[in-house]
Structures are given as C-alpha cells and as structure tokens.
Amino acid sequence: MNYLAHLHLGGSQPGELLGSLYGDFVKGPLQGRWPADIEAGIRLHRQIDVFTDSHPVVLQAKQRFPKERRRYAGILVDLFFDHCLAANWTDYADVPLDDFTTRVYRILHEEAELPGTLALIAPRMAAQDWLGSYREFAVMEQVVAGMSRRLSRPEGLVGGVTELERLYVPLQQDFEEFYPQLQAFAKGRAALDNP
C-alpha cells in the first residue's frame, strides 16, 4: 500500500500516524531507536506490507498487467489502491478526507526530527496535498512520473497510467474486495501490539 492507506490503517494517535509513514523511510531493526508508539507504527507498516504483498487478490491485481509490466505492477497497484481509497474515502473512514490529511500534515510539521528523506518531502507533501490529491485519477500521471524518477530503470513505468486506465474497473473491484480484509488485519495486529 502507499502513503494514504498506511496512514489510514496505522492508528489515530500522532505517534501511530508517524510510525505508519516512517515504515517507508526507516530500515533495519528498531531496537528502541524511536519512541514505542512510533516503533509500533513502523512494525504495523511492515506487517501490512507483508500481508498485502502475499494476498491472493493483490497477486491477482498484479497479474492483470502485461508480462513486460509485471516487475512494476506492485508500484502501480499500490498507487491505484491509494486512488481508490481517496476517491471512496467515506466508505472506509468516519473523518472527512480533508480533515484527515490536514491533521497528518500538521503532525508532520510539528515533528522536529523526521527520518531521512521524509524530512525533505514532508513540506512538499503538505504544500501539494499529495494525500488528498490521490482522489483525482488525473494526478496518477504526476505520481507515476515522480516514482519513475526514483527508479534505476525509470522506463519500466512508462505507459503505466495508460495501463491503469485500461484496467480501472477490475482493479477497483480488486481494491473493494481486498481493502476491508486489510482493515481487519491491521486492526487485529494493532490490538496485539497495544493490548
């Protein structure tokens, strides 16, 4: 899953929200490097990634792409699923999307020491409303272009948005089948970490 889904699933407290994002920026063992609530969020992030990457519906979604695109299908599916979540936010969340994203951006702004690259991108994330903008499919072009710049072989994502557009309905159906299961998984894992 991508940023918005991780934040949505990570919990409502500031440390949980931070940890749910840190999971993309903090690698290796934790061992008390961060406060307990942030480390719990990082662990949940990692568990969500494992659950997602091995789930039959997600594997099916990746198989929808042509063979030559499959190496990058995981990236495209993650981004598309964030689009589905943002576009259908009220089906999955009680708080309006704009209120949720405003709170996340405030928490990021108030955190004095964000890890690594997150410290660099957090101001842009807020200024450009990365999380809220996912609701518009047209934004996928910019997001995929940004992702391709971070890859060693950026040509792998060329034409990716066209593929997403072609596969929109079946991928949306995959999301609708998968996301409630992911919500239940995340809720169960969080309960284990915070009894």
Side-chain angles (χ1 to χ4, degrees), residues 36-57:
D37 55 348
I38 291 178
E39 289 198 357
I42 295 169
R43 280 192 302 278
L44 179 58
H45 178 114
R46 292 173 179 178
Q47 292 164 345
I48 286 169
D49 282 349
V50 170
F51 180 84
T52 299
D53 291 344
S54 62
H55 196 282
V57 174

Side-chain angles (χ1 to χ4, degrees), residues 189-195:
R189 297 308 305 180
L192 288 174
D193 215 355
N194 300 303

Side-chain angles (χ1 to χ4, degrees):
M1 301 307 290
N2 207 38
Y3 299 142
L4 182 61
H6 274 295
L7 285 159
H8 179 240
L9 298 167
S12 61
Q13 297 306 307
E16 295 168 335
L17 288 167
L18 290 169
S20 67
L21 263 187
Y22 284 22
D24 277 332
F25 301 94
V26 173
K27 305 303 177 200
L30 300 174
Q31 303 170 332
R33 288 173 50 198
W34 308 98
D37 55 348
I38 291 178
E39 289 198 357
I42 295 169
R43 280 192 302 278
L44 179 58
H45 178 114
R46 292 173 179 178
Q47 292 164 345
I48 286 169
D49 282 349
V50 170
F51 180 84
T52 299
D53 291 344
S54 62
H55 196 282
V57 174
V58 175
L59 296 174
Q60 169 185 279
K62 293 176 186 178
Q63 290 296 314
R64 295 185 187 283
F65 290 85
K67 241 182 240 186
E68 61 275 7
R69 176 88 56 209
R70 295 232 181 102
R71 181 174 181 188
Y72 302 92
I75 295 169
L76 294 169
V77 168
D78 282 354
L79 294 173
F80 185 79
F81 280 9
D82 258 16
H83 161 67
C84 289
L85 176 57
N88 302 285
W89 182 260
T90 56
D91 294 341
Y92 303 100
D94 297 328
V95 176
L97 181 59
D98 290 338
D99 293 352
F100 180 81
T101 59
T102 298
R103 182 166 181 259
V104 169
Y105 298 144
R106 181 177 41 77
I107 289 167
L108 286 170
H109 177 73
E110 292 171 355
E111 182 60 30
E113 294 186 38
L114 296 171
T117 309
L118 181 57
L120 301 174
I121 68 169
R124 273 195 328 233
M125 183 185 286
Q128 298 169 5
D129 187 23
W130 288 7
L131 302 172
S133 69
Y134 280 123
R135 72 185 128 208
E136 303 299 329
F137 184 78
V139 170
M140 290 293 105
E141 191 80 50
Q142 298 165 333
V143 174
V144 169
M147 291 294 285
S148 68
R149 285 192 292 272
R150 295 196 291 261
L151 297 175
S152 58
R153 298 174 70 194
E155 66 278 0
L157 287 177
V158 171
V161 175
T162 302
E163 292 290 343
L164 288 174
E165 195 167 21
R166 182 179 66 79
L167 296 168
Y168 195 101
V169 171
L171 288 175
Q172 183 176 32
Q173 291 168 346
D174 292 338
F175 173 81
E176 290 167 358
E177 181 179 351
F178 170 67
Y179 198 71
Q181 295 177 50
L182 181 59
Q183 284 182 289
F185 170 81
K187 186 176 180 179
R189 297 308 305 180
L192 288 174
D193 215 355
N194 300 303

